[in-house]
Amino acid sequence: MSDTKLEAAPRRKGLTRRQKRRLSRGVQYAVFLAAVIAFAVSADWDRLQNQFAQADIADQMFPDVITLALKNTVLYTVSGFVVGLVLGMVIALMRLSSVGPYRWFAGVYIEIFRGLPALLIFIFIGVAVPLAFPGTEIIGGTYGKVALALGLVAAAYMAETIRAGIQAVPKGQMEAARSLGFSPARAMISIIIPQAFRIILPPLTNELVLLFKDSSLVLFLGVTLGERELSKYGRDLASTTANSTPILVAGLCYLLVTIPLGFVVRRMEAKAQEAVK
């Protein structure tokens, strides 16, 4: 009797895992679409356009926004990246050194400059250095100050990235180079460091993107009209025109550089993963 009842009872059919995933994904898409529609409907597009999208004001910014502001931003970023890369390499090698004072100095440097906001470093370079060394001028003027400030900040992060890259190279590479008669220094320069840079190229490119944005802190050094970068240029025009369109245009100019760099980083990471496989 009980067997007959069990056979007659209908079987409960639940959703499969694939169906549950599809349902969950559908709900997420619906929520996202609803949020976008709610934002689009509730936003006052006319006021936004009047404040951020005045074509006549945007036209006044060209070509100076490219030939002056963007050019200076790129120069500041590249010079800071070069200083940071050279200094970061030195700090990384000191961190890996068998000499205790070198390791201690590198560790203290990394902890200090990685912990301090970049803004404080710019203020230190622009205010504290002239007070501490009266009459001393940093080579390159404002460009040299920005390169030094950005380089000091970037070096702390790059040093740790380079150190990790060097340690990621198999130890057998150094042993093989030593067996071929290479000195430790020559083996490091010729064998280990080139392999390490192939590993750390994506994070170094990410650091370049971060420096590109941090270059906006140059205003705390006091710049002339010809030394303004994108953020300073956009803010000055926004104050003059009493409109935020210049800030939007400056932001779009940042994206002209950061988006392609982000694409390059993703491609390099993909190639690195393929090489590992």
Side-chain angles (χ1 to χ4, degrees):
M1 184 68 178
S2 59
D3 294 340
T4 305
K5 290 182 178 180
L6 290 175
E7 291 177 359
R11 294 183 178 180
R12 297 179 61 184
K13 294 182 178 180
L15 295 176
T16 64
R17 290 183 178 179
R18 179 176 296 181
Q19 290 173 333
K20 289 180 180 179
R21 286 197 298 268
R22 288 179 178 176
L23 179 60
S24 176
R25 193 178 299 115
V27 171
Q28 293 175 34
Y29 288 158
V31 171
F32 175 76
L33 182 61
V36 171
I37 294 175
F39 172 78
V41 171
S42 61
D44 191 338
W45 295 105
D46 291 335
R47 294 183 64 182
L48 287 174
Q49 181 179 359
N50 291 334
Q51 186 64 27
F52 289 96
Q54 291 295 320
D56 55 338
I57 297 178
D59 290 339
Q60 297 174 12
M61 300 179 65
F62 291 91
D64 288 348
V65 69
I66 302 296
T67 59
L68 175 67
L70 182 58
K71 181 199 72 174
N72 283 337
T73 302
V74 172
L75 287 176
Y76 293 148
T77 303
V78 173
S79 59
F81 183 81
V82 172
V83 172
L85 185 62
V86 174
L87 183 58
M89 174 64 71
V90 174
I91 297 297
L93 294 177
M94 292 176 67
R95 189 72 184 270
L96 296 171
S97 174
S98 58
V99 181
Y102 288 167
R103 294 197 309 273
W104 303 333
F105 174 82
V108 171
Y109 177 92
I110 290 171
E111 293 302 325
I112 290 177
F113 284 92
R114 194 171 56 178
L116 288 175
L119 171 60
L120 296 183
I121 306 301
F122 272 82
I123 295 175
F124 176 80
I125 296 297
V127 178
V129 171
L131 290 176
F133 306 97
T136 302
E137 289 291 336
I138 297 177
I139 299 175
T142 301
Y143 294 94
K145 292 178 182 177
V146 176
L148 179 59
L150 288 177
L152 288 174
V153 176
Y157 294 93
M158 290 186 184
E160 286 294 88
T161 301
I162 295 171
R163 178 189 61 79
I166 291 175
Q167 291 180 328
V169 177
K171 294 182 179 180
Q173 297 292 318
M174 174 63 78
E175 296 172 356
R178 297 284 288 141
S179 66
L180 293 174
F182 284 72
S183 65
R186 186 183 174 190
M188 179 65 70
I189 295 173
S190 302
I191 306 297
I192 305 301
I193 291 179
Q195 295 185 60
F197 267 85
R198 282 196 291 268
I199 298 172
I200 64 175
L201 201 53
L204 285 182
T205 309
N206 274 328
E207 184 62 32
L208 180 62
V209 174
L210 295 176
L211 285 181
F212 187 74
K213 295 184 293 184
D214 285 343
S215 63
S216 61
L217 298 173
V218 67
L219 66 94
F220 291 97
L221 295 177
V223 295
T224 63
L225 292 178
E227 297 171 340
R228 291 178 297 176
E229 42 70 52
L230 282 171
S231 293
K232 175 65 173 172
Y233 183 83
R235 280 193 295 268
D236 287 350
L237 283 183
S239 299
T240 302
T241 60
N243 191 275
S244 300
T245 299
I247 295 178
L248 177 62
V249 175
L252 294 176
C253 290
Y254 276 105
L255 294 179
L256 287 177
V257 176
T258 57
I259 289 178
L261 279 177
F263 175 78
V264 170
V265 171
R266 289 191 295 272
R267 291 292 299 171
M268 288 190 297
E269 290 176 345
K271 289 185 178 180
Q273 292 177 356
E274 292 177 359
V276 172
K277 293 179 181 180

